[in-house]
Amino acid sequence: LWLVAPVLIILLIVIAMVISRRSEEPGGVSDLSPTLGAVPLTSSPGEEAFPAISPDGERVAFGWAGPADDNLDVYVKQHGSEAPLRLTDDPGVDTYARWSADGGELAYLHADAEGQAIYSMPLTGGEPRLLIRTGGWFAGHGWSPDGRTLVYAEGVEPTAPAQLFVLDLESREARALLPAPPAGQGDVGPVYSPDGGSIAFSRIDAAGLDEIHVLAVGSGEVRQITRGALHTKGMDWSRDGRSLIYSAVSSSNYSLWRVDVGDGSVTGLPTRGEWVHFPTVARDADRLVYQDIRFDKNIWQIQRSGNPDVGLTTGPLITSPRWESQG
């Protein structure tokens, strides 16, 4: 008797290469770039999610719920080191950490029985600092390059659509950047450009599809950058601020893509992953990190013993990093 055992493995992969800007036809999809040279950063048991690379490219913050944990906490791993540093230890869920521009602080999402909040914590340790709490829900946040403001997406009520706000970190005053979208839609995942002059975000329509837009901070002008009814899973600006690196579904898999903010041309960025989510780019180094979800199926066997006192025994029979099934 055969048993197929599916296992969900989430890996964080760091890229150590330059993502160059190429000449492409406006509005079209160019040929794919060469496959990105990626190396595994973590492959620990349990759930790993929402990676963010530090400005210098040397550390990665991520949420991790190990086999003995029932919720995510924020960890930081130094590139080239073995054990990650645990930054939060709370009964609630702590995840979606984002680096300050100087790399000395992380802002992260906290969820507990009372609702959701965004906290910050210095890398040197200390008590978390409450930045803002909501009676609704958050859908992404990020620091401004000067460290003075935090942009975030919030549904102000549990059933309200997400809209964009900016929080002054000194006065703690928040203001809406854009009007609330209609019910069933939303603006999510905001990210400041390297110069702080623009904010990229995903605008979700009533069908659940989304397109990347860019908001000019000074004028309030909004431009649609992508066209093609996407399902995106995270994005970040390139170091030069001329393009956006994002995850979107293509055929049956999620892949990385680069869109030129000026002319809307799109280039595929092939990886060896099949479900690539949440890319973030180091501001001061030629590296990015992304989350690679892998579904591993192996063939297991169940052996029946002739001795009724022994019963059934199980064990792996055919295993590999790929899928085995239909034994």
Side-chain angles (χ1 to χ4, degrees):
L1 178 63
W2 310 105
L3 175 67
V4 180
V7 180
L8 174 62
I9 301 176
I10 298 182
L11 302 178
L12 300 176
I13 312 292
V14 68
I15 309 299
M17 66 168 295
V18 176
I19 300 178
S20 60
R21 185 171 183 264
R22 302 171 57 200
S23 176
E24 296 137 357
E25 292 296 323
V29 178
S30 76
D31 295 335
L32 297 178
S33 297
T35 300
L36 300 182
V39 294
L41 180 68
T42 70
S43 57
S44 305
E47 180 183 1
E48 298 168 324
F50 304 114
I53 194 166
S54 61
D56 62 6
E58 292 298 320
R59 296 163 294 173
V60 173
F62 60 99
W64 181 24
D69 297 328
D70 57 1
N71 64 274
L72 293 162
D73 279 295
V74 176
Y75 289 76
V76 175
K77 191 175 190 298
Q78 183 85 18
H79 182 52
S81 68
E82 292 295 329
L85 170 68
R86 185 170 189 166
L87 197 65
T88 66
D89 186 2
D90 190 279
V93 173
D94 297 321
T95 188
Y96 203 86
R98 290 297 179 261
W99 294 87
S100 61
D102 62 5
E105 198 168 359
L106 286 167
Y108 62 92
L109 175 66
H110 172 82
D112 55 30
E114 297 180 3
Q116 296 187 6
I118 298 174
Y119 283 83
S120 68
M121 180 180 287
L123 268 293
T124 54
E127 290 297 318
R129 177 172 61 121
L130 174 64
L131 300 182
I132 189 168
R133 181 173 284 276
T134 181
W137 56 290
F138 290 115
H141 60 268
W143 298 83
S144 63
D146 61 12
R148 297 177 180 177
T149 61
L150 189 83
V151 64
Y152 62 94
E154 179 189 9
V156 295
E157 297 176 356
T159 59
Q163 68 182 109
L164 300 187
F165 295 84
V166 63
L167 175 70
D168 186 298
L169 293 174
E170 182 176 357
S171 67
R172 301 296 181 89
E173 293 181 355
R175 61 179 177 87
L177 288 173
L178 294 173
Q185 303 182 31
D187 295 337
V188 301
V191 187
Y192 270 107
S193 62
D195 64 3
S198 301
I199 295 171
F201 63 96
S202 291
R203 174 161 285 175
I204 303 173
D205 64 21
L209 303 175
D210 56 285
E211 300 285 4
I212 294 174
H213 291 66
V214 168
L215 165 68
V217 174
S219 66
E221 176 190 2
V222 176
R223 291 191 299 120
Q224 182 174 333
I225 304 301
T226 60
R227 300 187 183 276
L230 307 170
H231 282 289
T232 60
K233 289 287 186 180
M235 66 177 161
D236 201 2
W237 292 83
S238 62
R239 288 183 63 193
D240 61 11
R242 297 180 180 180
S243 59
L244 288 156
I245 313 298
Y246 63 96
S247 165
V249 67
S250 174
S251 300
S252 60
N253 298 332
Y254 277 88
S255 307
L256 291 185
W257 304 85
R258 180 181 63 234
V259 59
D260 188 295
V261 175
D263 61 25
S265 56
V266 176
T267 304
L269 300 175
T271 69
R272 293 181 176 86
E274 297 179 351
W275 291 82
V276 176
H277 296 167
F278 305 112
T280 66
V281 178
R283 288 287 165 258
D284 304 319
D286 291 323
R287 288 179 176 173
L288 68 82
V289 66
Y290 62 83
Q291 172 181 309
D292 180 13
I293 302 177
R294 299 185 182 181
F295 298 89
D296 183 22
K297 287 187 177 182
N298 298 314
I299 301 293
W300 284 51
Q301 62 180 341
I302 300 176
Q303 296 179 327
R304 293 187 177 94
S305 172
N307 184 345
D309 295 329
V310 175
L312 301 177
T313 60
T314 64
L317 180 66
I318 304 173
T319 64
S320 79
R322 308 297 293 179
W323 282 29
E324 290 83 24
S325 63
Q326 306 299 321

